[in-house]
Structures are given as structure tokens and as C-alpha cells.
Amino acid sequence: MLERKEREEKKTELPELPGAVAGQVVMRFAPNPSGPLTFGHARGVVLHLAYIERYKGKLLLRYDDTDPDIKPPLPEAYAWQREDLAWLGGKPDEVLTASDRVPIYYEHAERGLQQGALYVCRCPPEVFRDLKGHGQACPHRELPAAAQLAAWRGMLDGTTAPGGAAVRVKTDLQSKNPAWREWVALRIVENPHPRIGSTYRVWPVLDFQSAIDDHLTGVTHILRGKDLADSSHKQRYLYEHFGWTYPQVMHWGRVKMHEFGKFSKSLLTEAIAKGEFTGWDDPRLPTLKAMRRRGFQPEAIKAFWLSLGLSERDVSASLQTLEAENRQRIDPRSDRVFFVKDPVRIALRGAGFEAHPPIHPEHPARGARKLTVTADGHVLVPRSEVPEQPQVLRLKDGANVRLSASGGEVLGTAQDAGGHAARIIEWLPDDPAQTVACEVLTPEGTDQGRAEASLLAKHAGDLVQCERYGYCRIEAVDPSARAARLVFTHD
RNA sequence: GCUCCCGUAGUGUAGUCCGGCCAAUCAUGCAGGCCUUUCAAGCCUGUGACUCGGGUUCAAAUCCCGGCGGGAGCACCA
């Protein structure tokens, strides 16, 4: 009873890390630098940061870039990923790059071959697969150390062709899960590594490299996706061979965002190269670069992932939840502004009027904007709001008008007309002095229109709410051209 | 097919380890109301769930067995 009470008092979103001792936790965030970090990566980052903070632990950033062939790293991505990590508040205590540590992996490979933990397998893949399926050893498995080391040298010096040999880890051939049996530790890859070129022709696979680095850097807890769950089982064999203790591991389940389609890194790289996207920060992409550009706040992303917690359950989440978190955080600092998308010019008969919309309805002290329409003047309204038959509408904060595509008539200022009788629409005076050209990049395309001249006082990076349209981040303002470019955040 | 993991409202999530305080938490969504010269904000109300079947027990979301459903892995990828 008492125990339960204590637990409730210190209740947090995330489960405790098993065996974690404050001040002695070491974790690593280990992406493959094949592109910038994505929203999905952010889950790992956020969870690591939360635990590091809770246990006053140490965080390593480790680039697991040991595949120059199928998932080659992108040289620029190393810096991008650091920036993305920093944006989320991550300050790694140490940064490691696997491709700089190849000699270390070689040493361990040799030690393993020497002690009979590893062996050089020269079976063709199909043959080996068959043997493995039947739980049988390959002919090279029990060869003496001298033969193993000779074969290993053949891999290193170019005698053996790519695919001709691979170093395998001795596991339990009878292991009930075939996936864990006799896995490959190092193989020959002749493609030059995008970062360090052709220095090496033998590369460790992730499970080998990562296992060794985790041990050498004293990692105590590993957090990773469920897709890597088998890695833990495989790597344990290696740890046993070397007499090491395996870190604690926790996994998170698969996440599918309703709104995001299938984005694989390799497909994206290709699509960007072909110009289907403007770049890695194209607002349509689920990269942190793109989200940052759109005005998503790191705190919102953290809150989102923290709310999903660390669970192995597979979930299908909605971006709406993230947007709600973000809205809460950006609304107070988003000054209001009128943006008329796809404007139609309408002549108004009748008296002129002035509007004084507040800069922020919840913060009257910030003041108001001012829009003026002269008698028998013209206004711009969004094409989509223009009724076919004349209809009474309220130009927000301005005046009630009876309006259709052919023209309108001022019925009186909005101040005169109380209640909710008329539908409210956004608008602008048709006056170059009071407006600017404005384009908004959205995930669906680019919206063209005009916006209030008050935008000219803003700067790149500022957030605004285009009333009745949505929140946007200002990307560029050009006072001399009287133009602005925004990126749509969300509504 | 084999192996492993996971099933609480529309979507997430707390509770499950240590059965009773759970006719089940919170958020989001949706609906309604209030406020309001935007609403996407704020305030209020409502909505809606323990995958199924057995078993153990005085008592099961919680423990056991089985079914069903979902996911992942089974690469000389990460």
C-alpha cells in the first residue's frame, strides 16, 4: 500500500529504466547519417533526452555509417543531424563516427577469429541460407584460427572478391529463431564511403559495430525501435563470446502517422534529386528541417512524443494531436494579420469605413492595425467567399456589405451591426499602400494572394496567424518589392 | 511458414509488474453551450473503451490457458 502510494506520487509519463542509477546512465542516439532527422527520429531523441535529464546521464551521438553501399551516408547529413538534435535540445556529451573507428572493429574481428568466436564463411548466400534453415554448420565454421585469420587477410587485401566471404558470429545453430543464427559481422564492400573514400574494403554491419561501440563507450541503456528487437538477441551472442555484459534495452513500437504517406529515406533521396521536392525542407516532408521551417516548436514535438511514451505497442497517431500541442504554444505569439487568398476585386457603393482589428485579441495592449476604405472604393475578398447571389456579409472588423461578384454595397459599419447576423469573411482594401503581395507555401501547394502591409514590419522567423486561414511562419519579407513569403504551419 | 512483440473510447494514453481504492485517468477529436467584430484561442458540458472465450479467486483491465486481431524480424541494410 505504502509502496503504491509512493509510486503514484512520483508518477511520470515514462517508465523507469531498469537498473538505472542517477549519474551513471550512459545512452546513445545512433542515427545513420543518410539524410536529415525526421519526425520519426524525433521520438528517439525526445525519449533519450527525457531519460538523460531524469537520471543526469550522459548522451552520446554516434553516427552509424558503416554501409557505403545500400544505405550510404550523405556527407552533409552529419551536420544536419547535429543541428536537428540541437534544435530538440540535445547536447551530446560526445560525438562518435563509426567510419572513423574501423580499426577498432578490425581488432575485435581478429580477436574473435583468434578465439573461435567468429569465422570467415565462404559459402554462397543461398547455400548458407539453406544450412542455416536446417540448423547446420557451414564447412568453414570449425576451421582453426590460423585458417580463419588467413581468410580474413584475404578479405582485407583484395584477394577475396566482394560476396566471396563474410565474417560470421558463432551463435546457437539450434536457436529457435533462425533470424538470430550465425549472423554476419563484417563483409566486403568496395563502394567508396562517401565520407572517407576507399580507405577500407571490409566494413562491419550495424549489429557488430554497434555492439562493440556500445560496450567500449560504456552504454548502460539502449532505446530503439521494435524493428531492431532482434539485434539485441544477436548481439548477446557476441557479448557472451567476449565476456561482456549487455546493456538494458527497451523498444518502442511502430508508429504510423495518419497524414504522412510512406516516406523511405532512399525514396526521398531519389525524389529530391529528381526535383520532385524543393529540398529536404520542403514543407510536404516529414523532416525536422521542414517542420522547423513551417513553424513547429520543438517543445510541441517533445510533448507529442512524450505523450506516446515508451511502449512496444504499434500505434497510428494523428498529426492533429501534434498541431494541438503546437497551437497552444504559438498562438500567444502569433500576431493577427489579414491574408486574402486568390483575391477578387469588388467595387463597393456607399460610405467609406475604417477597421481597427486587434493585433492579438487576447492581448489588447499590443494595439490594433488600421485598414481604410474610401467612399465608393474597392475591396479584395477571397474568391472562394464570393457568393453567386448578393448576400449580406461582414468584412471582419470593417463593415457589413451586400455583395456578389458584380459588386457590393456598404450597409453600415460592423460596429453598427451587432450580433451574428452576417457571415464573417476576411478582406483587404484594394490599395497598394495598405497591402503587400503574399505567397504561402503549404503542403498542398502555393497559395497566392495579398496580405496586410503590417507584414512589412515583420521579420523572417516571426509567426503570424492569418485570420480565418491559418498559422504561418514568415520566411521572407521584401519591403522594397512590398512582398512577403510565408510557410503554412497548420490551421 | 518460422520467431518475437503488442491488443484500454475515433486517435493516443494512465492504470497491468505488486488483483479490490477502476461503473477506469488525461489529452486529442467530435457534439453542444458561453465568450467574441476571426477562431483555429479561452471557459463549461456532453460523447465514448478494458479484443473474444475459458480458468483461478470472495473479487480480474490487472494472474493463467486458448482463440482472434495488429505489428516487426527472418539480408554480406540501417
Side-chain angles (χ1 to χ4, degrees):
Chain A
M1 272 301 163
L2 228 167
E3 192 194 341
R4 173 168 290 247
K5 203 171 189 178
E6 281 172 10
R7 232 184 308 138
E8 277 171 2
E9 281 168 4
K10 66 179 179 188
K11 182 191 163 223
T12 47
E13 304 254 4
L14 297 173
E16 295 293 326
L17 288 180
V21 178
Q24 294 175 26
V25 169
V26 179
M27 305 181 86
R28 61 7 179 234
F29 174 63
N32 173 16
S34 58
L37 259 27
T38 63
F39 182 57
H41 284 110
R43 181 177 200 178
V45 172
V46 166
L47 290 173
H48 279 98
L49 294 182
Y51 280 120
I52 289 300
E53 187 181 0
R54 185 192 296 185
Y55 296 111
K56 308 286 170 250
K58 204 172 125 185
L59 179 70
L60 274 34
L61 167 61
R62 192 182 71 214
Y63 296 110
D64 284 352
D65 58 344
T66 58
D67 177 21
D69 187 24
I70 300 172
K71 291 186 175 168
L74 191 65
E76 309 91 297
Y78 296 76
W80 291 345
Q81 294 192 341
R82 275 197 84 151
E83 284 164 25
D84 291 338
L85 176 63
W87 183 59
L88 290 171
K91 299 185 233 12
D93 296 280
E94 204 178 324
V95 181
L96 284 80
T97 304
S99 52
D100 281 341
R101 299 166 57 79
V102 175
I104 296 174
Y105 312 130
Y106 283 4
E107 280 168 36
H108 286 82
E110 278 158 29
R111 193 206 296 183
L113 290 166
Q114 190 79 54
Q115 73 181 60
L118 311 179
Y119 60 98
V120 178
C121 167
R122 279 174 280 170
C123 302
E126 324 77 61
V127 173
F128 187 85
R129 201 174 306 133
D130 194 49
L131 288 169
K132 182 170 94 170
H134 293 91
Q136 289 169 349
C138 97
H140 317 100
R141 190 180 200 258
E142 303 306 337
L143 261 28
Q148 302 296 359
L149 289 168
W152 165 248
R153 281 189 293 274
M155 289 175 71
L156 293 174
D157 66 19
T159 312
T160 311
V167 178
R168 290 187 184 276
V169 179
K170 285 190 189 170
T171 63
D172 177 2
L173 280 164
Q174 304 304 318
S175 163
K176 52 188 171 169
N177 192 340
W180 303 345
R181 295 180 195 159
E182 311 289 293
W183 49 278
V184 168
L186 304 101
R187 78 302 202 197
I188 302 169
V189 183
E190 288 193 326
N191 283 24
H193 188 283
R195 205 179 132 267
I196 59 169
S198 299
T199 317
Y200 306 106
R201 81 187 293 261
V202 175
W203 285 92
V205 297
L206 174 78
D207 282 322
F208 189 73
Q209 167 259 317
S210 155
I212 288 169
D213 281 338
D214 284 339
H215 173 75
L216 262 25
T217 55
V219 168
T220 58
H221 295 79
I222 298 173
L223 261 36
R224 57 184 163 205
K226 230 166 63 165
D227 52 327
L228 257 21
D230 284 336
S231 280
S232 317
H233 294 275
K234 293 159 72 172
Q235 293 176 335
R236 275 176 211 280
Y237 289 109
L238 190 68
Y239 272 60
E240 277 170 31
H241 287 307
F242 287 150
W244 298 343
T245 305
Y246 201 76
Q248 295 284 344
V249 194
M250 296 183 86
H251 300 105
W252 61 78
R254 197 188 88 112
V255 181
K256 180 164 171 31
M257 297 302 293
H258 290 147
E259 296 83 352
F260 288 152
K262 292 179 196 74
F263 288 102
S264 84
K265 194 72 78 56
S266 49
L267 245 49
L268 271 185
T269 311
E270 205 177 301
I272 287 170
K274 281 197 290 192
E276 288 170 28
F277 294 99
T278 56
W280 288 101
D281 62 353
D282 187 303
R284 289 167 290 185
L285 297 180
T287 58
L288 293 180
K289 274 176 171 297
M291 295 178 78
R292 184 159 62 225
R293 183 180 180 196
R294 288 177 57 186
F296 279 94
Q297 304 300 297
E299 293 74 21
I301 292 174
K302 284 187 195 176
F304 174 85
W305 284 121
L306 246 21
S307 78
L308 291 206
L310 177 53
S311 135
E312 298 202 23
R313 194 178 313 176
D314 302 315
V315 298
S316 180
S318 168
L319 221 46
Q320 282 188 325
T321 313
L322 203 222
E323 290 175 358
E325 293 283 1
N326 199 55
R327 194 174 294 122
Q328 259 177 40
R329 290 168 174 83
I330 62 174
D331 184 72
R333 44 189 273 217
S334 297
D335 285 349
R336 271 49 174 173
V337 63
F338 282 165
F339 166 66
V340 175
K341 171 185 164 181
D342 194 9
V344 178
R345 181 174 188 261
I346 308 259
L348 289 183
R349 293 188 311 281
F353 56 90
E354 263 188 17
H356 302 277
I359 287 174
H360 195 297
E362 283 173 70
H363 303 277
R366 292 188 198 170
R369 303 106 72 188
K370 178 179 162 191
L371 297 168
T372 308
V373 176
T374 54
D376 294 322
H378 293 81
V379 291
L380 302 173
V381 297
R383 185 173 302 277
S384 60
E385 299 280 16
V386 178
E388 288 185 17
Q389 298 303 315
Q391 193 182 325
V392 177
L393 299 172
R394 176 177 302 164
L395 305 181
K396 182 179 179 284
D397 301 312
N400 282 0
V401 294
R402 177 178 289 113
L403 176 150
S404 70
S406 54
E409 174 191 357
V410 177
L411 301 176
T413 62
Q415 286 84 344
D416 302 334
H420 265 276
R423 189 159 61 87
I424 295 170
I425 66 170
E426 64 274 24
W427 61 283
L428 285 168
D430 179 31
D431 172 8
Q434 297 187 61
T435 60
V436 295
C438 183
E439 70 172 15
V440 184
L441 272 49
T442 83
E444 282 79 40
T446 302
D447 288 342
Q448 302 286 349
R450 294 204 67 85
E452 269 178 53
S454 65
L455 268 187
L456 294 178
K458 300 273 178 206
H459 305 283
D462 287 349
L463 304 175
V464 294
Q465 187 205 69
C466 295
E467 296 196 38
R468 309 177 47 79
Y469 174 80
Y471 293 93
C472 295
R473 178 175 166 279
I474 297 180
E475 183 143 279
V477 174
D478 182 344
S480 56
R482 297 190 66 82
R485 188 170 72 246
L486 316 185
V487 186
F488 190 73
T489 310
H490 49 68
D491 55 23

